[in-house]
Amino acid sequence: MKSIKIGVCGVGNVGGAVLESLVNSPDILERNGGVKIDVISVGARKGKSAVPFDLNVSKNLMDVAHNDEIDVFVELIGGCQLAKELVETAMMNGKNIVTANKALIATHGDDLFNMAKQYGVQIGFEASVAGGTPVIKALREGLVANKVLWFAGILNGTTNFILSKMSEDKSSFEAALLEAQNLGLAESDPTMDIDGTDAAQKASILSALAFNTPYDFKAVSYGGIESITSDDIEYAEQLGYKIKHIAYGSIDENEANVSAYPTFVPNDQLLSQVGKQMNALEINCEGLGSTVYYGPGAGPKPTASAVIADLVDIANGGWHENGSLGEKNTLSSKSYQKFSRYFNINVKNEAGAIAKVSSLFAEEKISIEALIQNESKANNKLFVPVVIISGPLSDREVTQMTNKLESSEETSSTVKQYRIHNAL
Ligand SMILES: NC(=O)c1ccc[n+]([C@@H]2O[C@H](COP(=O)([O-])OP(=O)(O)OC[C@H]3O[C@@H](n4cnc5c(N)ncnc54)[C@H](OP(=O)(O)O)[C@@H]3O)[C@@H](O)[C@H]2O)c1
């Protein structure tokens, strides 16, 4: 049986679950993967008291990166600075790397993969996107014979839980967030989940694999779910949609566009059915069409499952080099992709106002596919909410239209708009 020796830094949620599985259930791995994994060294800054297993523990994490005995260095501390220093040190020491750290890969992936090439080592990062659902493996291996045209994914479990609760239980945004925190699904500071940063980081990693673009998280445009209200959820239901936070990537010639925004998904599409804290990714390839991957996107055990799968792959020789031939494609935050749009506009409660608003769309040659005008719930009925589903618009066109609506005398100043997912 093959065997590898590893050093693990970070014994938090994920590190703890990895060690528990390797120490307590090695038989499953040996039977299924044909690999024996020995934990030679653990890095925990609080020392032995933080590691509930009989293992060698070092308070100085650099000791693990410098350990000559290990074959693989497993980074599970999170963050960018120390994690990068540790991973670089381990690679210079000839060690393969496994990490669950999306921030590290999405920010420094290019440098790290160049360095891995230079030192002849491999980097496994399955756990960095969609936790226990093997989407990196699908892109690196299962779909390797295909040209990816686009992908669309629900990549953040916390936001999906909140949106699902708002839709199924009619919870408010605040109540759904609190429930996610009480269940341990959201961080005490959930900012990077709610504002879309986490999904955007993951989407940039998918783009690097799907479209051979740089690992450049800053070139992803994104927005969060904080502006979604119960009214938006109700309108979506009335119109036959669910609101999901969707990371979308597509490529045109040599330029990929990747973005992550709250999006209306038609009820007849699989992504609309992904509830609770689950993740899902649809990958559409030329000739093949769509394949869909669904499963838990976070949590100690699902994430540990992905970390251990990478260890087994490394023991078995690792992966081919991604995008090793030719120039990389560019990743641009300017999206030319056109989406139908949901507009929510407060229109003056007086005769002819809606007709004037409709004419603003006509002036821009934008079709109106549906229009709903419900009675205002507010006591002050100076304005009534009007929802318009428009024909397809690019981000640039939608900004122009939103500005035009907001500066119109017939509307109050803030106009909301969200994309409608149109899987082609
Ligand atoms: N949790 C998930 O569901 C999940 C899913 C996918 C990916 N990930 C990724 O997995 C990684 C670990 O996440 P986690 O949830 O396990 O985090 P966590 O529970 O906060 O654990 C982090 C561990 O790293 C240690 N650590 C952090 N900063 C350190 C530093 N500067 N020096 C020394 N030790 C340090 C912590 O030590 P102390 O205990 O001393 O603070 C703790 O043991 C992150 O990159 C995360 O993005 C997590």
Side-chain angles (χ1 to χ4, degrees):
M1 184 179 306
K2 288 175 193 145
S3 91
I4 54 168
K5 297 187 168 90
I6 68 167
V8 179
C9 275
V11 192
N13 292 311
V14 179
V18 167
L19 292 179
E20 187 189 337
S21 180
L22 294 178
V23 172
N24 293 341
S25 321
D27 48 320
I28 299 179
L29 195 56
E30 288 169 19
R31 193 176 57 237
N32 293 348
V35 176
K36 185 171 173 340
I37 298 177
D38 285 325
V39 185
I40 297 291
S41 171
V42 175
R45 62 181 162 190
K46 289 179 190 139
K48 207 141 174 78
S49 63
V51 185
F53 305 100
D54 185 19
L55 295 164
N56 287 325
V57 177
S58 177
K59 280 189 182 178
N60 181 352
L61 276 58
M62 271 298 165
D63 288 348
V64 183
H66 281 297
N67 190 320
D68 283 333
E69 274 188 73
I70 62 172
D71 302 302
V72 187
F73 177 83
V74 184
E75 182 280 304
L76 298 173
I77 66 168
C80 277
Q81 199 179 337
L82 178 60
K84 182 166 177 269
E85 284 167 28
L86 288 166
V87 164
E88 285 175 343
T89 304
M91 285 199 284
M92 284 189 266
N93 200 22
K95 308 305 173 193
N96 298 293
I97 304 296
V98 172
T99 179
N101 193 334
K102 65 221 138 202
L104 179 70
I105 299 292
T107 314
H108 300 293
D110 287 322
D111 291 343
L112 295 177
F113 285 102
N114 280 337
M115 198 166 167
K117 200 167 164 185
Q118 188 186 345
Y119 287 91
V121 296
Q122 300 249 339
I123 302 178
F125 54 106
E126 181 64 63
S128 65
V129 185
T133 310
V135 296
I136 305 277
K137 202 170 181 64
L139 281 167
R140 281 221 245 203
E141 297 175 35
L143 299 175
V144 73
N146 299 280
K147 178 179 181 201
V148 178
L149 298 175
W150 56 262
F151 66 77
I154 295 170
L155 303 178
N156 183 277
T158 307
T159 48
N160 202 45
F161 179 87
I162 292 171
L163 292 173
S164 301
K165 275 276 155 190
M166 288 175 76
S167 167
E168 284 157 28
D169 298 352
K170 309 294 170 220
S171 302
S172 66
F173 174 86
E174 292 75 17
L177 172 58
L178 190 63
E179 189 173 347
Q181 285 171 319
N182 289 340
L183 289 170
L185 297 170
E187 306 281 339
S188 50
D189 177 4
T191 311
M192 284 171 70
D193 294 324
I194 302 300
D195 74 5
T197 307
D198 176 87
Q201 287 177 337
K202 292 166 177 169
S204 72
I205 296 173
L206 294 178
S207 173
L209 295 168
F211 306 132
N212 190 25
T213 53
Y215 289 86
D216 184 6
F217 149 62
K218 293 200 178 74
V220 174
S221 65
Y222 64 93
I225 63 162
E226 57 277 47
S227 59
I228 303 272
T229 62
S230 305
D231 286 348
D232 296 318
I233 300 268
E234 262 179 50
Y235 283 120
E237 271 163 23
Q238 234 177 306
L239 290 158
Y241 300 96
K242 294 272 185 313
I243 304 180
K244 297 286 169 192
H245 193 268
I246 298 285
Y248 185 85
S250 61
I251 187 155
D252 188 16
E253 302 279 329
N254 297 324
E255 185 173 306
N257 297 129
V258 179
S259 51
Y261 285 105
T263 303
F264 281 44
V265 183
N267 282 341
D268 62 359
Q269 291 192 19
L270 271 175
L271 291 181
S272 75
Q273 305 304 319
V274 177
K276 300 185 178 155
Q277 67 271 33
M278 300 307 269
N279 279 197
L281 177 67
E282 179 171 2
I283 305 173
N284 188 277
C285 298
E286 198 170 71
L288 174 68
S290 275
T291 54
V292 181
Y293 308 84
Y294 166 89
K301 289 205 173 195
T303 312
S305 159
V307 168
I308 295 170
D310 275 348
L311 290 169
V312 172
D313 276 348
I314 286 179
N316 285 321
W319 308 274
H320 69 93
E321 210 177 299
N322 184 54
S324 55
L325 294 175
E327 289 286 300
K328 286 206 181 238
N329 294 315
T330 52
L331 179 57
S332 165
S333 58
K334 286 192 199 115
S335 173
Y336 304 107
Q337 180 75 31
K338 293 197 175 206
F339 294 91
S340 296
R341 306 282 172 159
Y342 160 94
F343 287 90
N344 188 324
I345 312 159
N346 281 319
V347 178
K348 265 191 189 158
N349 192 10
E350 58 186 37
I354 292 180
K356 282 185 195 153
V357 167
S358 303
S359 70
L360 297 178
F361 280 82
E363 280 168 21
E364 297 296 315
K365 301 195 171 36
I366 299 168
S367 62
I368 292 179
E369 312 288 336
L371 188 150
I372 301 177
Q373 187 218 323
N374 287 343
E375 227 179 291
S376 173
K377 288 180 190 165
N379 292 332
N380 167 0
K381 297 206 177 165
L382 283 179
F383 292 95
V384 286
V386 171
V387 161
I388 287 177
I389 302 295
S390 79
L393 297 173
S394 68
D395 285 353
R396 191 181 54 79
E397 290 165 335
V398 90
T399 304
Q400 264 175 18
M401 189 64 219
T402 305
N403 289 343
K404 188 166 182 154
L405 288 166
E406 286 182 346
S407 53
S408 161
E409 285 182 0
E410 310 306 323
T411 69
S412 74
S413 59
T414 314
V415 170
K416 268 203 226 181
Q417 73 75 30
Y418 299 115
R419 292 174 171 182
I420 296 182
H421 181 55
N422 31 297
L424 300 171

